[in-house]
């Protein structure tokens, strides 16, 4: 008979996942809970010579679920009646977590309490009598600092001591009248009594992080702070991308790699040379357009530095606790399009890569919200790879193009909110305090995200270059250019030479923008073409993710059908509107 599992439970933002990473073994598995879009993580943990499964349960505020993540948490608890529950509490806000711990005790589970963020509680002059709290609850209580690994060994050693406690004994310990079941109000009164008996709050002056944290969620001070943070993020992204691409990779590829390949690769003049190396007379890697020239240069020389910079900034914002504040601040704006403030998370992720951005829509509670967000991300948000190429080719227009696409995001979001049936629940979030980002956490996130990006980006870029070159050789590009000439030149005002870029865009948007650099166009046509490629069909990796997520959000046909209708409407209306604006202002 297998050993009972260990369930790691707690509110969101209490360090539960950091604790799981400390407890977990090498074999970590992320699974999708059946019938939902909610993920949970599990691994193995050695306890007294036996191996037990440990599950990082989705964060929940109570056992009365209010959204899909909380429903999964309760379901995991119900399906494992013999489980040992590690209830992770934020020691700086102990009363919030105690309510959940009491609910778990009421259900008769073996319980052990981890008082996490113990260092922050101490620095905040919060004195928790651990022995007294353990006596009142009649379960082991262990102070921990998950990010530093403090108390983790003690927690593991004391897991066998976890035990169920009749709620009546807890009531007796604080002088409450015994009751068979507690209603919500009585439970909170009990929590208050436990806190009064075990916790002392000393006098403290607000710290600088606390003062800044307060200012970041107030509209009059928070919005300027948010604009400054986002501008700083953009400036850092642009500076790092330009520094490494122009300073190192352009000289490396154009002065060394490209000439060497052109001279040493055999079979010049054959189809193989054309596909792998490209134009033998090209003087730079953008124009060569071979798999081993433009393909590698775009993926490694242009995209990698930019995506690395973007993921670094994102990891810092997440680890500092600012991302949750940004969500609260922007909640009103996103409600105008039927979403809530945490839409900023998949949105910012998509500026790195649309694939994790689409995956992050799982956090939305309703099918309507997931459909709207996935559609808007795949149509209007340019990924970091595409932005990197834009910054390299047309830096003077990149900011304007992004603003125009963001305007389309909110305009079509408002339209979809009116057309798509369904509800849009309010945002409920526990805002964590501002903290100094941990280098270890940032490094872990950066490594995982960059690795996943490289696994999906490099193969598709190389494949895209190869397919475009094969279509060139077969005459398909010339045929498509003739067939689509009326639409391209009449409605959008761009030359038929953009056909290869549109085909490449289905594989990689950054590859498509890079191919536009080899076409002779006016500045307006260049900007118009980039906007078309951006709104045009999502790249293959994003398309695959839409299919995967669509199967869990109302069906693949509904997801893709609605997304494609929106895409066509956005391409012809939003793209055509830009062309009309160019005609009226005399720049088209």
């Amino acid at each position: 008979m297998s050993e009972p599992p260990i369930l790691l439970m707690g509110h969101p933002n209490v360090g539960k996942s950091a604790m799981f990473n400390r407890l977990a073994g090498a074999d970590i598995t992320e699974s999708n809970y059946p019938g939902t879009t909610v993920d949970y993580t599990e691994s193995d943990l050695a306890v007294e010579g036996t191996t037990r499964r440990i599950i990082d349960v989705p964060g929940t505020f109570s056992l009365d679920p209010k959204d899909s993540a909380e429903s999964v948490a309760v379901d995991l608890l119900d399906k494992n009646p013999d489980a040992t529950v590690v209830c992770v509490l934020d020691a700086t806000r102990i009363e919030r977590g105690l309510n959940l711990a009491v609910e778990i005790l009421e259900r008769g589970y073996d319980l052990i309490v981890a008082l996490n963020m113990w260092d922050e509680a101490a620095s905040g002059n919060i004195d928790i009598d651990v022995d007294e709290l353990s006596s009142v609850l009649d379960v082991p209580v262990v102070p921990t600092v998950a990010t530093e690994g403090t108390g983790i060994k003690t927690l593991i050693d004391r897991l066998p001591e976890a035990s169920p406690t009749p709620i009546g004994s807890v009531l007796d310990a604080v002088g409450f009248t015994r009751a068979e079941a507690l209603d919500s109000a009585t439970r909170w009164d009990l929590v208050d009594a436990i806190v009064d008996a075990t916790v002392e709050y000393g006098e403290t002056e607000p710290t600088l992080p606390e003062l800044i944290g307060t200012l970041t969620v107030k509209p009059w001070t928070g919005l300027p702070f948010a604009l400054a943070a986002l501008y700083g993020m953009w400036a850092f992204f642009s500076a790092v991308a330009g520094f490494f691409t122009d300073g190192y990779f352009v000289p490396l590829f154009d002065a060394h790699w490209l000439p060497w390949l052109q001279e040493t690769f055999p079979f010049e003049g054959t189809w193989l040379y054309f596909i792998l190396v490209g134009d033998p007379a090209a003087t730079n890697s953008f124009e060569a357009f071979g798999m081993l020239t433009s393909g590698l240069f775009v993926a490694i020389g242009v995209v990698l530095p930019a995506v690395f910079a973007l993921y670094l900034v994102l990891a810092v914002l997440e680890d500092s606790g600012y991302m949750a504040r940004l969500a609260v601040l922007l909640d009103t704006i996103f409600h105008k399009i039927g979403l809530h403030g945490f839409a900023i998370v998949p949105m910012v992720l998509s500026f790195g890569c649309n694939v994790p951005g689409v995956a992050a829509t799982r956090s939305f509670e309703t099918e309507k919200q997931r459909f709207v967000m996935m559609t808007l991300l795949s149509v209007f948000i340019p990924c970091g790879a595409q932005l990197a190429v834009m910054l390299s080719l047309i830096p003077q227009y990149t900011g304007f193009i992004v603003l125009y696409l963001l305007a389309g995001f909110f305009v079509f979001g408002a339209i979809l909110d009116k057309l798509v049936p369904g509800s849009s629940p309010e945002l409920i979030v526990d805002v964590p305090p501002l903290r100094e980002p941990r280098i270890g956490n940032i490094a872990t996130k950066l490594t995982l995200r960059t690795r996943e990006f490289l696994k999906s980006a490099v193969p598709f870029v190389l494949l895209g270059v190869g397919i475009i070159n094969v279509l060139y050789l077969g005459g398909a590009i010339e045929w498509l250019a003739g067939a689509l000439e009326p639409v391209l030149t009449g409605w959008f005002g761009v030359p038929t030479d953009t056909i290869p870029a549109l085909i490449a865009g289905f594989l990689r948007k950054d590859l498509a923008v890079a191919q536009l650099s080899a076409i002779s166009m006016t500045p307006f046509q260049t900007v118009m073409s980039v906007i078309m490629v951006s709104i045009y069909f999502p790249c293959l990796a994003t398309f695959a993710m839409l299919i995967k997520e669509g199967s869990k959000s109302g069906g693949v046909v509904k997801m893709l059908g609605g997304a494609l209708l929106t895409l066509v409407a956005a391409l012809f209306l939003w793209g055509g509107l830009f062309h009309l604006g160019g005609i009226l202002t005399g720049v088209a």
Side-chain angles (χ1 to χ4, degrees):
M1 184 176 179
S2 60
E3 294 290 325
I6 299 167
L7 303 182
L8 209 59
M9 300 190 68
H11 288 192
N13 299 314
V14 296
K16 183 169 54 64
S17 294
M19 184 171 293
F20 174 82
N21 290 334
R22 292 282 181 180
L23 293 168
D27 180 25
I28 297 177
T29 305
E30 186 174 54
S31 305
N32 181 254
Y33 199 75
T36 74
T37 58
V38 179
D39 288 336
Y40 67 95
T41 313
E42 54 186 332
S43 184
D44 292 324
L45 177 64
V47 181
E48 290 193 334
T50 62
T51 300
R52 297 177 64 178
R53 204 68 179 155
I54 179 169
I55 300 174
D56 184 7
V57 178
T60 180
F61 290 100
S62 74
L63 300 185
D64 179 20
K66 301 295 190 300
D67 58 39
S68 56
E70 292 192 344
S71 295
V72 169
V74 175
D75 205 37
L76 280 169
L77 190 67
D78 290 341
K79 288 184 176 180
N80 293 281
D82 58 344
T84 296
V85 179
V86 179
C87 190
V88 185
L89 275 57
D90 179 351
T92 66
R93 307 173 180 186
I94 188 173
E95 63 282 348
R96 301 186 184 188
L98 277 174
N99 187 274
L100 177 62
V102 169
E103 283 188 282
I104 295 170
L105 284 178
E106 287 182 81
R107 296 201 178 196
Y109 284 86
D110 290 348
L111 180 69
I112 181 170
V113 173
L115 285 178
N116 200 33
M117 304 181 195
W118 184 257
D119 54 339
E120 294 184 17
S123 62
N125 209 10
I126 301 173
D127 182 18
I128 303 173
D129 189 333
V130 175
D131 292 335
E132 181 63 21
L133 180 59
S134 179
S135 175
V136 170
L137 298 177
D138 198 21
V139 299
V141 177
V142 181
T144 61
V145 183
T147 53
E148 303 290 344
T150 304
I152 300 300
K153 185 179 183 305
T154 304
L155 181 66
I156 296 173
D157 291 341
R158 298 195 66 183
L159 277 172
E161 301 175 28
S163 61
T165 300
I167 198 64
S169 66
V170 180
L171 293 167
D172 291 341
V174 292
F176 259 55
T177 304
R178 277 189 173 248
E180 290 298 325
L182 305 180
D183 57 31
S184 179
T186 305
R187 190 177 298 113
W188 277 112
D189 289 340
L190 175 59
V191 168
D192 289 339
I194 295 172
V195 170
D196 289 342
T198 60
V199 183
E200 289 185 9
Y201 294 93
E203 293 291 330
T204 58
E205 293 292 327
T207 63
L208 182 60
E210 288 173 341
L211 292 174
I212 295 175
T214 301
L215 294 175
T216 57
V217 292
K218 293 182 177 179
W220 288 107
T221 51
L223 284 174
F225 194 93
L227 290 174
L230 294 175
Y231 176 78
M233 177 179 176
W234 175 259
F236 179 78
F237 167 78
S238 304
V240 171
F243 176 80
F244 283 101
T245 297
D246 296 334
Y248 291 94
F249 288 109
V250 168
L252 174 64
F253 276 85
D254 289 354
H256 300 285
W257 178 249
L258 178 63
W260 180 80
L261 268 181
Q262 289 172 330
E263 291 175 9
T264 60
F265 198 89
F267 314 118
E268 182 176 342
T270 66
W271 63 268
L272 182 63
Y273 187 97
F274 182 75
I275 291 174
L276 295 179
V277 180
D279 184 358
T283 57
N284 65 70
S285 295
F286 265 131
E287 295 178 356
F289 213 74
M291 292 178 69
L292 300 179
T293 51
S294 296
L296 287 178
F297 175 65
V298 168
I300 297 174
V302 178
V303 172
L304 181 59
V307 169
F308 184 87
L310 186 63
Y311 282 155
L312 175 60
V313 175
L314 180 60
V316 170
L317 292 178
E318 288 177 331
D319 211 53
S320 65
Y322 181 67
M323 193 63 80
R325 286 172 159 71
L326 195 58
V328 171
L329 190 67
L330 299 179
D331 186 56
T332 301
I333 296 174
F334 279 103
H335 256 296
K336 303 294 183 184
I337 59 174
L339 303 173
H340 55 57
F342 262 104
I344 191 65
V345 176
M347 191 175 184
V348 172
L349 277 173
S350 288
F351 276 109
C353 178
N354 284 162
V355 172
V358 170
T361 60
R362 298 169 186 170
S363 62
F364 289 106
E365 290 83 4
T366 66
E367 288 184 5
K368 173 185 177 177
Q369 289 180 317
R370 288 193 290 272
F371 168 79
V372 170
M373 194 63 189
M374 281 191 280
T375 301
L376 294 177
L377 290 178
S378 61
V379 174
F380 288 105
I381 302 300
C383 67
Q386 181 182 338
L387 288 172
V389 180
M390 288 162 59
L391 283 170
S392 179
L393 296 176
I394 47 172
Q396 68 273 35
Y397 302 123
T398 301
F400 173 79
I401 292 172
V402 171
L403 287 176
Y404 190 73
L405 292 174
L406 287 176
F409 180 96
F410 285 100
V411 169
F412 277 83
I415 295 172
L416 287 174
D417 182 39
K418 300 297 183 184
L419 296 178
V420 179
S423 61
S424 300
E426 295 293 328
L427 173 67
I428 302 176
V429 59
D430 188 12
V431 180
L434 284 179
R435 300 186 179 94
E436 180 181 345
R438 310 271 183 170
I439 294 178
N441 292 352
I442 293 173
T444 300
K445 292 178 180 180
L446 196 56
T447 301
L448 291 173
R449 286 172 178 168
T450 304
R451 183 192 304 153
E452 287 302 312
F453 174 80
L454 285 175
K455 284 166 59 179
S456 63
V458 176
F460 281 118
V461 169
L462 298 179
L463 179 64
V465 174
I467 290 176
I468 294 299
N469 286 345
V470 169
L471 292 176
Y472 261 122
L473 291 171
I477 298 295
E478 185 178 352
W479 179 83
L480 283 170
L484 296 177
E485 181 176 4
V487 175
L488 292 174
T489 58
W491 190 263
F492 298 108
V494 298
T496 54
D497 293 341
T498 55
I499 288 290
L502 293 175
I503 296 173
F506 179 60
L507 294 164
R508 291 290 307 175
K509 294 291 186 77
D510 47 334
L511 175 62
V513 177
Q515 190 164 2
L516 292 174
S517 66
I519 303 172
S520 178
M521 293 186 286
T522 66
F524 178 83
Q525 287 178 322
T526 301
V527 174
M528 181 73 250
S529 298
V530 172
I531 289 175
M532 283 179 60
V533 167
S534 300
I535 300 176
Y536 173 70
F537 208 89
C539 72
L540 187 58
T542 303
F543 184 73
M545 182 58 71
L546 287 173
I547 293 176
K548 178 183 176 183
E549 295 303 314
S551 65
K552 307 164 191 169
S553 303
V556 175
V557 174
K558 175 184 174 182
M559 174 66 238
L560 290 183
L564 290 176
L565 284 174
T566 305
L567 183 149
V568 171
L571 178 62
F572 281 89
L573 294 179
W574 207 241
L577 181 64
F578 187 81
H579 184 210
L580 177 62
I583 294 173
L584 294 177
T585 55
V587 297

